[in-house]
Amino acid sequence: QSALTQPASVSGSPGQSITISCTGTSSDVGSYNLVSWYQQHPGKAPKLMIYGGYKRPSWVSTRFSGSKSGSTASLTISGLQAEDEADYYCCSYAGSNTFYVFGTGTKVTVL
Amino acid sequence: QITLKESAPALVKPTQTVTLTCTFSGFSLSTIPVGVGWIRQPPGKALEWLAFIFGDDDKRTSPSLKSRLTITKDTSKNQVVLTMTNMDPVDTATYYCVHQDRSSWYELDYWGQGTLVTVSS
């Protein structure tokens, strides 16, 4: 099972919006509305930001939103802030055998 | 409040077997849809899932590592143990313990702080 494909890096200025893509296949992202996104600051554990493709946990700002089209999921960060600078990983359920597949990771830089 | 904490030897020699222990609180692993799993991350690299175990003792193991991994739980101690055999330097990584609920959306909602395991002679 290959990893989901994410851009290596995305950057934006404070206040701007950025979008991170996560491309999978018909065996994972394309088949299930079970994509989640994780934010990871250096030296820290990943933190759940989006689940079920677009749902936000209570601890996540409304500036973060998720969507999906076909086999590509996306994470959009609106009103970019310095604290959003981190690595972001997508993850999809991929059936009872493969179970999970993670993305390659995207480094977000706030200019 | 759900918390998880990993423990493991910091240094392991090649070919050895390593035992990683996750001690958790705030939930019961006797509840059928609830699960605990392991995710690892080599330095500077992406996340990789390893194994999960659920309240009904259902187990899922990464197909690429299936022959090397064993996951068990001790409900009375609130612990999950992952055993990985034949360790290699490429297995050097931070190993995270995570909570999951299959009755939700398969999200990994709570993570431990991680423990770094280095494989070197």
Side-chain angles (χ1 to χ4, degrees):
Chain A
Q1 180 76 28
S2 299
L4 307 176
T5 302
Q6 298 180 234
S9 63
V10 174
S11 62
S13 300
Q16 286 186 331
S17 294
I18 61 169
T19 297
I20 304 167
S21 61
C22 169
T23 302
T25 68
S26 58
S27 297
D28 39 64
V29 176
S31 287
Y32 305 97
N33 292 319
L34 296 172
V35 174
S36 50
W37 290 88
Y38 302 87
Q39 176 192 65
Q40 186 179 33
H41 287 108
K44 300 294 186 181
K47 173 185 169 185
L48 176 67
M49 304 301 284
I50 294 287
Y51 67 100
Y54 65 93
K55 299 176 185 294
R56 267 188 311 274
S58 58
W59 54 79
V60 174
S61 166
T62 56
R63 297 186 298 104
F64 291 83
S65 61
S67 63
K68 191 187 91 166
S69 177
S71 296
T72 298
S74 298
L75 174 71
T76 297
I77 308 175
S78 305
L80 199 61
Q81 299 179 1
E83 67 206 50
D84 301 330
E85 188 162 290
D87 293 327
Y88 291 82
Y89 293 92
C90 61
C91 177
S92 177
Y93 178 73
S96 60
N97 290 325
T98 304
F99 211 50
Y100 282 113
V101 59
F102 277 97
T104 50
T106 298
K107 181 175 181 58
V108 168
T109 301
V110 181
L111 302 172
Chain B
Q1 179 189 5
I2 291 176
T3 64
L4 307 102
K5 188 171 184 179
E6 308 86 351
S7 58
L11 182 63
V12 176
K13 295 185 187 307
T15 74
Q16 285 187 336
T17 294
V18 69
T19 297
L20 302 103
T21 301
C22 174
T23 303
F24 58 85
S25 64
F27 65 95
S28 171
L29 201 43
S30 297
T31 307
I32 289 176
V34 172
V36 171
W38 290 91
I39 309 293
R40 72 177 178 179
Q41 184 175 37
K45 296 189 177 182
L47 302 166
E48 176 186 20
W49 83 275
L50 301 178
F52 281 83
I53 189 166
F54 295 90
D56 58 357
D57 213 36
D58 184 26
K59 301 172 186 178
R60 305 289 171 174
T61 307
S62 171
S64 61
L65 293 166
K66 193 174 185 65
S67 63
R68 298 176 53 206
L69 299 176
T70 302
I71 189 167
T72 60
K73 63 182 173 79
D74 186 330
T75 306
S76 64
K77 292 183 178 179
N78 279 356
Q79 288 183 334
V80 169
V81 174
L82 181 72
T83 302
M84 182 178 290
T85 62
N86 194 24
M87 293 293 282
D88 184 272
V90 300
D91 297 314
T92 294
T94 296
Y95 288 76
Y96 295 100
C97 176
V98 298
H99 168 273
Q100 190 235 50
D101 187 335
R102 284 185 302 188
S103 65
S104 183
W105 299 80
Y106 282 79
E107 72 274 20
L108 308 174
D109 50 3
Y110 296 94
W111 294 63
Q113 63 189 22
T115 185
L116 175 62
V117 177
T118 300
V119 184
S120 174
S121 55

